[in-house]
Tab-separated table of all heavy atoms in Angstrom:
chain	number	residue	atom	x	y	z
A	109	LYS	N	-4.000	12.006	-13.616
A	109	LYS	CA	-4.655	12.358	-12.358
A	109	LYS	C	-6.004	11.658	-12.266
A	109	LYS	O	-6.604	11.287	-13.260
A	109	LYS	CB	-4.783	13.859	-12.174
A	109	LYS	CG	-5.724	14.572	-13.106
A	109	LYS	CD	-5.654	16.069	-12.858
A	109	LYS	CE	-7.014	16.691	-12.942
A	109	LYS	NZ	-7.011	18.113	-12.672
A	110	TRP	N	-6.457	11.476	-11.025
A	110	TRP	CA	-7.726	10.828	-10.756
A	110	TRP	C	-8.829	11.875	-10.675
A	110	TRP	O	-8.616	12.977	-10.168
A	110	TRP	CB	-7.655	10.041	-9.450
A	110	TRP	CG	-6.781	8.838	-9.600
A	110	TRP	CD1	-5.457	8.746	-9.294
A	110	TRP	CD2	-7.163	7.569	-10.119
A	110	TRP	NE1	-4.995	7.480	-9.588
A	110	TRP	CE2	-6.023	6.737	-10.095
A	110	TRP	CE3	-8.358	7.040	-10.589
A	110	TRP	CZ2	-6.045	5.417	-10.527
A	110	TRP	CZ3	-8.385	5.723	-11.021
A	110	TRP	CH2	-7.250	4.933	-10.988
A	111	LEU	N	-10.007	11.523	-11.170
A	111	LEU	CA	-11.157	12.417	-11.177
A	111	LEU	C	-12.345	11.711	-10.532
A	111	LEU	O	-12.535	10.508	-10.732
A	111	LEU	CB	-11.520	12.808	-12.611
A	111	LEU	CG	-10.398	13.409	-13.464
A	111	LEU	CD1	-10.815	13.508	-14.921
A	111	LEU	CD2	-10.015	14.773	-12.921
A	112	ALA	N	-13.136	12.447	-9.783
A	112	ALA	CA	-14.334	11.895	-9.168
A	112	ALA	C	-15.525	12.764	-9.550
A	112	ALA	O	-15.444	13.989	-9.525
A	112	ALA	CB	-14.191	11.844	-7.652
A	113	SER	N	-16.621	12.107	-9.928
A	113	SER	CA	-17.821	12.855	-10.284
A	113	SER	C	-19.037	12.186	-9.658
A	113	SER	O	-19.032	10.994	-9.344
A	113	SER	CB	-17.988	12.943	-11.802
A	113	SER	OG	-18.111	11.649	-12.360
A	114	MET	N	-20.082	13.006	-9.488
A	114	MET	CA	-21.301	12.543	-8.844
A	114	MET	C	-22.458	13.352	-9.390
A	114	MET	O	-22.345	14.576	-9.549
A	114	MET	CB	-21.152	12.745	-7.335
A	114	MET	CG	-22.209	12.164	-6.496
A	114	MET	SD	-21.726	12.378	-4.750
A	114	MET	CE	-23.121	11.606	-3.992
A	115	ASN	N	-23.561	12.698	-9.663
A	115	ASN	CA	-24.730	13.379	-10.204
A	115	ASN	C	-25.551	13.961	-9.050
A	115	ASN	O	-26.518	13.365	-8.592
A	115	ASN	CB	-25.561	12.402	-11.038
A	115	ASN	CG	-26.681	13.090	-11.783
A	115	ASN	OD1	-26.698	14.321	-11.908
A	115	ASN	ND2	-27.632	12.319	-12.260
A	116	THR	N	-25.120	15.125	-8.578
A	116	THR	CA	-25.796	15.788	-7.459
A	116	THR	C	-25.472	17.276	-7.483
A	116	THR	O	-24.738	17.747	-8.339
A	116	THR	CB	-25.374	15.157	-6.108
A	116	THR	OG1	-26.229	15.638	-5.083
A	116	THR	CG2	-23.931	15.460	-5.773
A	117	THR	N	-25.992	17.981	-6.514
A	117	THR	CA	-25.696	19.409	-6.383
A	117	THR	C	-25.124	19.668	-4.994
A	117	THR	O	-25.271	18.847	-4.082
A	117	THR	CB	-26.980	20.261	-6.534
A	117	THR	OG1	-27.884	19.924	-5.474
A	117	THR	CG2	-27.634	20.036	-7.891
A	118	LYS	N	-24.501	20.818	-4.832
A	118	LYS	CA	-23.992	21.220	-3.513
A	118	LYS	C	-25.133	21.274	-2.503
A	118	LYS	O	-24.996	20.831	-1.371
A	118	LYS	CB	-23.336	22.604	-3.589
A	118	LYS	CG	-22.037	22.661	-4.314
A	118	LYS	CD	-21.508	24.091	-4.291
A	118	LYS	CE	-20.296	24.236	-5.159
A	118	LYS	NZ	-19.740	25.595	-5.118
A	119	GLU	N	-26.263	21.807	-2.944
A	119	GLU	CA	-27.406	21.975	-2.053
A	119	GLU	C	-27.939	20.618	-1.574
A	119	GLU	O	-28.304	20.459	-0.414
A	119	GLU	CB	-28.525	22.766	-2.752
A	119	GLU	CG	-28.182	24.221	-3.013
A	119	GLU	CD	-27.181	24.427	-4.166
A	119	GLU	OE1	-27.081	23.557	-5.072
A	119	GLU	OE2	-26.478	25.447	-4.135
A	120	ALA	N	-27.974	19.644	-2.475
A	120	ALA	CA	-28.469	18.311	-2.099
A	120	ALA	C	-27.540	17.665	-1.068
A	120	ALA	O	-28.003	17.041	-0.108
A	120	ALA	CB	-28.596	17.426	-3.331
A	121	LEU	N	-26.242	17.831	-1.231
A	121	LEU	CA	-25.302	17.260	-0.263
A	121	LEU	C	-25.352	18.000	1.068
A	121	LEU	O	-25.245	17.390	2.133
A	121	LEU	CB	-23.876	17.259	-0.823
A	121	LEU	CG	-23.608	16.220	-1.911
A	121	LEU	CD1	-22.203	16.388	-2.471
A	121	LEU	CD2	-23.796	14.810	-1.379
A	122	LYS	N	-25.533	19.310	1.025
A	122	LYS	CA	-25.647	20.076	2.271
A	122	LYS	C	-26.899	19.677	3.044
A	122	LYS	O	-26.921	19.698	4.267
A	122	LYS	CB	-25.662	21.580	1.974
A	122	LYS	CG	-24.326	22.146	1.575
A	122	LYS	CD	-24.446	23.631	1.269
A	122	LYS	CE	-23.169	24.179	0.701
A	122	LYS	NZ	-23.293	25.605	0.333
A	123	ALA	N	-27.973	19.313	2.315
A	123	ALA	CA	-29.238	18.933	2.941
A	123	ALA	C	-29.251	17.452	3.358
A	123	ALA	O	-30.165	17.035	4.072
A	123	ALA	CB	-30.387	19.207	1.990
A	124	ALA	N	-28.262	16.676	2.944
A	124	ALA	CA	-28.217	15.245	3.280
A	124	ALA	C	-27.976	15.055	4.778
A	124	ALA	O	-27.446	15.944	5.450
A	124	ALA	CB	-27.087	14.575	2.480
A	125	PRO	N	-28.387	13.900	5.303
A	125	PRO	CA	-28.154	13.635	6.732
A	125	PRO	C	-26.661	13.711	7.063
A	125	PRO	O	-25.834	13.195	6.314
A	125	PRO	CB	-28.660	12.205	6.942
A	125	PRO	CG	-29.543	11.930	5.767
A	125	PRO	CD	-29.048	12.791	4.640
A	126	GLU	N	-26.351	14.382	8.159
A	126	GLU	CA	-24.952	14.555	8.545
A	126	GLU	C	-24.379	13.261	9.101
A	126	GLU	O	-25.025	12.552	9.865
A	126	GLU	CB	-24.835	15.656	9.595
A	126	GLU	CG	-23.390	15.964	9.959
A	126	GLU	CD	-23.237	17.155	10.890
A	126	GLU	OE1	-24.258	17.732	11.312
A	126	GLU	OE2	-22.082	17.505	11.190
A	127	PHE	N	-23.171	12.946	8.677
A	127	PHE	CA	-22.453	11.785	9.203
A	127	PHE	C	-21.609	12.262	10.379
A	127	PHE	O	-20.896	13.248	10.274
A	127	PHE	CB	-21.552	11.168	8.135
A	127	PHE	CG	-20.611	10.123	8.689
A	127	PHE	CD1	-21.061	8.849	8.956
A	127	PHE	CD2	-19.296	10.437	8.974
A	127	PHE	CE1	-20.207	7.888	9.479
A	127	PHE	CE2	-18.427	9.493	9.494
A	127	PHE	CZ	-18.893	8.217	9.752
Side-chain angles (χ1 to χ4, degrees):
K109 68 184 219 178
W110 290 95
L111 306 169
S113 61
M114 188 174 180
N115 188 15
T116 191
T117 63
K118 289 181 187 182
E119 292 74 25
L121 287 175
K122 286 179 187 177
E126 185 174 3
F127 170 79

